[in-house]
Coordinates of all heavy atoms in Angstrom, one line a residue:
I8 N 2.7 20.4 -0.6 CA 2.5 21.8 -0.7 C 3.8 22.5 -1.1 O 4.7 22.6 -0.3 CB 2.0 22.4 0.6 CG1 0.7 21.7 1.0 CG2 1.7 23.9 0.3 CD1 0.2 22.2 2.4
V13 N 11.1 29.8 -2.8 CA 12.0 28.6 -3.0 C 11.3 27.3 -2.7 O 11.9 26.2 -2.9 CB 13.3 28.7 -2.2 CG1 14.1 29.8 -2.7 CG2 13.0 28.7 -0.7
G14 N 10.0 27.3 -2.3 CA 9.3 26.1 -1.9 C 9.3 25.0 -2.9 O 9.6 23.9 -2.6
V17 N 12.9 23.3 -3.3 CA 13.3 22.4 -2.2 C 12.5 21.1 -2.2 O 13.0 20.1 -1.9 CB 13.4 23.1 -0.8 CG1 14.4 24.2 -0.8 CG2 12.0 23.6 -0.3
I18 N 11.2 21.3 -2.6 CA 10.4 20.1 -2.7 C 10.8 19.2 -3.8 O 10.9 18.0 -3.7 CB 8.9 20.5 -2.8 CG1 8.3 21.1 -1.5 CG2 8.0 19.3 -3.2 CD1 8.2 20.2 -0.4
T21 N 13.7 17.3 -2.8 CA 13.3 16.3 -1.8 C 12.7 15.0 -2.5 O 13.0 13.9 -2.1 CB 12.3 16.9 -0.8 OG1 13.0 18.0 -0.1 CG2 11.9 15.9 0.3
L70 N 4.1 17.2 3.1 CA 5.4 17.8 2.9 C 5.2 19.3 2.4 O 4.4 19.5 1.5 CB 6.2 17.1 1.8 CG 7.1 16.0 2.2 CD1 7.8 15.5 0.9 CD2 8.2 16.4 3.2
L71 N 5.8 20.2 3.1 CA 5.6 21.6 2.7 C 6.9 22.3 2.4 O 7.9 22.2 3.2 CB 4.8 22.3 3.9 CG 4.3 23.7 3.7 CD1 3.1 23.9 4.5 CD2 5.3 24.8 4.0
G72 N 6.9 23.1 1.3 CA 8.1 23.8 0.9 C 8.3 25.1 1.8 O 9.0 25.2 2.7
A73 N 7.5 26.1 1.4 CA 7.5 27.4 2.1 C 6.3 28.2 1.7 O 5.8 28.1 0.6 CB 8.8 28.2 1.8
L74 N 5.9 29.1 2.6 CA 4.7 29.9 2.3 C 5.1 31.4 2.6 O 5.8 31.7 3.5 CB 3.5 29.5 3.2 CG 2.9 28.1 3.1 CD1 1.7 28.0 4.0 CD2 2.5 27.8 1.7
L90 N -0.8 28.3 7.1 CA 0.0 27.5 8.0 C -0.6 27.4 9.4 O -0.8 26.4 10.0 CB 1.4 28.1 8.1 CG 2.6 27.2 8.5 CD1 2.6 25.9 7.8 CD2 3.9 27.9 8.3
R94 N -2.1 24.0 11.0 CA -1.7 23.5 12.4 C -2.9 23.3 13.3 O -3.0 22.3 14.0 CB -0.8 24.6 13.0 CG 0.6 24.6 12.3 CD 1.4 25.8 12.8 NE 2.7 25.9 12.2 CZ 3.6 26.9 12.3 NH1 3.3 27.9 13.0 NH2 4.7 26.8 11.6
N102 N 5.7 20.6 17.8 CA 6.6 21.0 16.7 C 8.1 20.7 17.2 O 8.6 21.2 18.1 CB 6.5 22.5 16.5 CG 7.3 23.1 15.3 OD1 7.9 24.1 15.4 ND2 7.4 22.3 14.3
R104 N 12.0 20.7 16.4 CA 13.0 21.4 15.6 C 14.4 21.1 16.0 O 14.9 21.7 16.9 CB 12.7 22.9 15.6 CG 11.4 23.3 15.0 CD 11.2 24.8 14.9 NE 10.1 25.0 14.0 CZ 9.6 26.2 13.6 NH1 10.3 27.3 14.0 NH2 8.6 26.3 12.7
M255 N 20.4 28.5 8.2 CA 19.0 28.2 8.3 C 18.6 27.1 7.3 O 17.6 26.5 7.4 CB 18.3 29.6 7.9 CG 16.9 29.7 8.2 SD 16.6 30.1 9.9 CE 14.9 30.3 9.9
G256 N 19.4 27.0 6.2 CA 19.1 26.0 5.2 C 19.3 24.6 5.6 O 19.1 23.7 4.8
L257 N 19.6 24.4 6.9 CA 19.9 23.0 7.3 C 18.8 22.5 8.3 O 18.9 21.3 8.7 CB 21.3 22.9 8.0 CG 22.5 23.2 7.1 CD1 23.7 23.4 7.9 CD2 22.7 22.0 6.2
L258 N 17.9 23.4 8.7 CA 17.0 22.9 9.8 C 15.7 22.4 9.4 O 14.8 23.1 8.8 CB 16.8 24.1 10.8 CG 17.6 24.0 12.1 CD1 19.0 24.3 11.8 CD2 17.0 24.8 13.2
P259 N 15.4 21.1 9.7 CA 14.1 20.5 9.4 C 13.1 20.7 10.5 O 13.5 21.1 11.6 CB 14.5 19.1 9.2 CG 15.5 18.9 10.3 CD 16.3 20.2 10.4
S260 N 11.9 20.4 10.3 CA 10.9 20.4 11.4 C 9.8 19.3 11.1 O 9.6 19.0 10.0 CB 10.3 21.7 11.6 OG 9.3 22.0 10.7
A261 N 9.2 18.9 12.2 CA 8.1 18.0 12.2 C 7.0 18.6 13.1 O 7.3 19.1 14.2 CB 8.4 16.6 12.7
L270 N 3.0 17.1 9.7 CA 3.5 18.0 8.6 C 5.0 18.2 8.8 O 5.5 18.5 9.8 CB 2.7 19.3 8.8 CG 3.1 20.4 7.8 CD1 1.8 21.1 7.3 CD2 4.0 21.5 8.4
Y271 N 5.7 18.2 7.6 CA 7.1 18.2 7.6 C 7.6 19.4 6.7 O 7.2 19.4 5.5 CB 7.7 16.9 7.2 CG 7.2 15.8 8.1 CD1 6.0 15.1 7.8 CD2 7.8 15.5 9.3 CE1 5.4 14.2 8.7 CE2 7.3 14.6 10.2 CZ 6.1 13.9 9.9 OH 5.6 13.0 10.7
E272 N 8.3 20.3 7.3 CA 8.7 21.5 6.5 C 10.0 22.0 7.0 O 10.4 21.9 8.2 CB 7.7 22.6 6.6 CG 7.4 23.0 8.0 CD 6.6 24.3 8.1 OE1 6.6 25.1 7.2 OE2 5.9 24.4 9.2
P273 N 10.8 22.6 6.1 CA 12.0 23.3 6.5 C 11.7 24.5 7.5 O 10.6 25.0 7.3 CB 12.7 23.8 5.2 CG 11.6 23.8 4.2 CD 10.6 22.7 4.6
V274 N 12.6 24.8 8.4 CA 12.3 25.9 9.3 C 12.4 27.3 8.5 O 11.8 28.2 8.9 CB 13.3 25.9 10.5 CG1 13.2 27.2 11.3 CG2 12.9 24.7 11.4
H275 N 13.2 27.3 7.4 CA 13.4 28.5 6.7 C 12.1 28.9 5.9 O 11.2 28.1 5.8 CB 14.6 28.4 5.7 CG 14.4 27.4 4.6 ND1 13.5 27.6 3.5 CD2 15.0 26.2 4.3 CE1 13.5 26.6 2.7 NE2 14.4 25.7 3.2
G276 N 12.1 30.2 5.5 CA 11.0 30.7 4.8 C 11.1 30.6 3.3 O 11.8 29.7 2.8
S277 N 10.4 31.4 2.5 CA 10.3 31.3 1.1 C 11.4 31.9 0.3 O 11.5 31.8 -0.9 CB 8.9 31.8 0.6 OG 8.9 33.2 0.9
V287 N 19.2 27.5 -3.7 CA 18.7 27.3 -2.3 C 19.3 26.0 -1.8 O 19.5 25.0 -2.5 CB 17.2 27.4 -2.2 CG1 16.5 26.3 -3.0 CG2 16.7 27.3 -0.7
N288 N 19.5 25.9 -0.5 CA 20.0 24.7 0.2 C 18.8 23.8 0.4 O 17.9 24.2 1.2 CB 20.7 25.1 1.5 CG 21.3 23.9 2.1 OD1 21.1 22.8 1.7 ND2 22.2 24.1 3.1
P289 N 18.7 22.7 -0.2 CA 17.5 21.8 0.0 C 17.7 20.9 1.2 O 16.8 20.1 1.5 CB 17.5 21.0 -1.2 CG 18.9 20.8 -1.6 CD 19.6 22.1 -1.2
S290 N 18.8 21.0 2.0 CA 19.0 20.1 3.1 C 17.9 20.1 4.1 O 17.4 19.0 4.6 CB 20.3 20.4 3.8 OG 21.4 20.3 3.0
A291 N 17.4 21.3 4.5 CA 16.3 21.4 5.5 C 15.1 20.6 5.0 O 14.4 19.9 5.8 CB 16.0 22.8 5.7
A292 N 14.7 20.7 3.8 CA 13.5 20.0 3.3 C 13.8 18.5 3.2 O 12.9 17.7 3.6 CB 13.1 20.6 1.9
I293 N 15.0 18.2 2.7 CA 15.3 16.7 2.6 C 15.3 16.1 4.0 O 14.8 15.0 4.2 CB 16.7 16.6 1.9 CG1 16.6 17.0 0.5 CG2 17.2 15.1 2.0 CD1 17.9 17.2 -0.3
L294 N 15.9 16.8 5.0 CA 16.0 16.3 6.4 C 14.6 16.3 7.0 O 14.3 15.4 7.9 CB 16.9 17.1 7.2 CG 18.4 17.0 6.9 CD1 19.2 18.1 7.6 CD2 19.0 15.6 7.2
S295 N 13.7 17.1 6.5 CA 12.3 17.1 7.0 C 11.6 15.8 6.5 O 10.8 15.2 7.2 CB 11.5 18.3 6.5 OG 12.0 19.5 7.0
A296 N 11.9 15.4 5.3 CA 11.4 14.1 4.7 C 11.9 13.0 5.6 O 11.2 12.0 5.7 CB 11.8 14.0 3.3

Side-chain angles (χ1 to χ4, degrees):
I8 304 174
V13 296
V17 298
I18 290 289
T21 302
L70 269 183
L71 188 150
L74 298 182
L90 203 48
R94 290 171 181 171
N102 183 220
R104 297 188 163 184
M255 193 83 176
L257 293 165
L258 255 76
S260 81
L270 177 137
Y271 303 88
E272 60 169 330
V274 170
H275 65 71
S277 61
V287 63
N288 187 347
S290 298
I293 295 170
L294 293 169
S295 299

